Amino acid sequence: MKIYTHLKRLLDIALSLVGLVVLSPIYLMIIILIKIDSKGPILFKQKRIGRYKKEFYILKFRSMKMETPNDMPTHLLSDPEAYITRVGKILRKTSLDELPQIINILKGDMSIVGPRPALWNQYDLIEERDKYGANDIEPGLTGWAQINGRDELPITVKAKLDGEYTQNISFKFDVLIFFKTILSVVTSKGIREGVTSLEDSVD
């Protein structure tokens, strides 16, 4: 596992660089659409919890209006649809809003695969992850919990799945999660908006 941990970082850098180049036309298109659709910055920054509970700012394409309450999970908004922009609906459904996190991966804040980074104020999730050592590895763009329920998972189950990943990190496991993530994105499996959601889905 220790050997793969070092290899994992090299793979993160290599794949992220390739991703930036290959996806650059999509980045440009999204940037243009966001600027046309609504006022505000292109990117959305939000404080999250990284490895060893170190705070960092995650990057996303902005999918919500500027008047949206910050640092609040979408499922706690009484009417999330009122805050999501027209372009944002598409970005969130396809998970394209997550693409700027490739920059977080290059910086070393995140990995391609790992537990999704909790909001700084999601104390229950952070505490639950401590039981499994899931706060001691880099959070990921996607993870084991994301392909096993995503927004539908309660905190306790999500943390347990994050712990399973933490204890079983391997190249084979990461490849499995990566390709299952693509399938989940294509089918929009597990995505919820509004008060019925149980995960930390935010802008």
Side-chain angles (χ1 to χ4, degrees):
M1 178 177 168
K2 288 185 177 180
I3 296 176
Y4 178 62
T5 299
H6 295 295
L7 176 61
K8 182 178 171 74
R9 178 59 188 150
L10 294 176
L11 287 172
D12 282 339
I13 295 172
L15 292 175
S16 296
L17 289 172
V18 171
L20 280 175
V21 174
V22 173
L23 297 172
S24 57
I26 295 178
Y27 272 75
L28 180 59
M29 180 181 67
I30 292 174
I31 289 170
I32 293 172
L33 290 174
I34 290 174
K35 295 305 292 183
I36 292 174
D37 186 46
S38 62
K39 295 181 180 180
I42 295 165
L43 295 178
F44 172 81
K45 298 180 181 180
Q46 191 174 57
K47 191 187 296 183
R48 296 289 183 112
I49 300 299
R51 188 178 187 184
Y52 301 132
K53 292 185 279 191
K54 180 181 178 181
E55 295 179 348
F56 74 98
Y57 283 91
I58 198 172
L59 300 174
K60 292 188 178 189
F61 281 124
R62 183 175 58 82
S63 63
M64 304 189 84
K65 299 174 182 177
M66 294 305 296
E67 59 267 28
T68 306
N70 197 21
D71 292 330
M72 179 178 289
T74 308
H75 68 272
L76 294 182
L77 295 173
S78 58
D79 185 13
E81 291 292 329
Y83 295 103
I84 301 173
T85 64
R86 290 171 297 178
V87 171
K89 290 179 182 179
I90 299 172
L91 295 178
R92 294 166 75 90
K93 186 175 181 180
T94 58
S95 294
L96 288 173
D97 60 321
E98 310 283 356
L99 287 181
Q101 284 160 49
I102 289 179
I103 298 172
N104 287 118
I105 294 171
L106 284 173
K107 289 173 60 181
D109 297 326
M110 296 172 60
S111 179
I112 292 175
V113 180
R116 280 297 293 167
L119 276 164
W120 66 272
N121 57 359
Q122 284 186 295
Y123 306 114
D124 51 353
L125 177 59
I126 297 168
E127 182 179 357
E128 196 69 22
R129 280 177 169 171
D130 271 336
K131 299 177 182 179
Y132 305 99
N135 290 316
D136 298 335
I137 62 173
E138 280 82 8
L141 181 63
T142 185
W144 185 230
Q146 273 55 53
I147 63 171
N148 282 285
R150 198 171 175 173
D151 294 348
E152 299 174 344
L153 295 175
I155 294 296
T156 52
V157 176
K158 185 177 188 297
K160 185 176 181 180
L161 288 169
D162 290 334
E164 287 180 10
Y165 173 76
T166 302
Q167 298 302 316
N168 296 282
I169 295 176
S170 70
F171 177 73
K172 184 178 179 180
F173 200 10
D174 278 1
V175 170
L176 172 68
I177 293 170
F178 182 81
F179 283 105
K180 283 199 171 187
T181 297
I182 295 175
L183 179 62
S184 295
V185 169
V186 170
T187 60
S188 298
K189 181 181 179 181
I191 297 177
R192 295 284 181 87
E193 300 284 12
V195 294
T196 57
S197 173
L198 294 172
E199 215 258 336
D200 60 325
S201 178
V202 290
D203 193 321

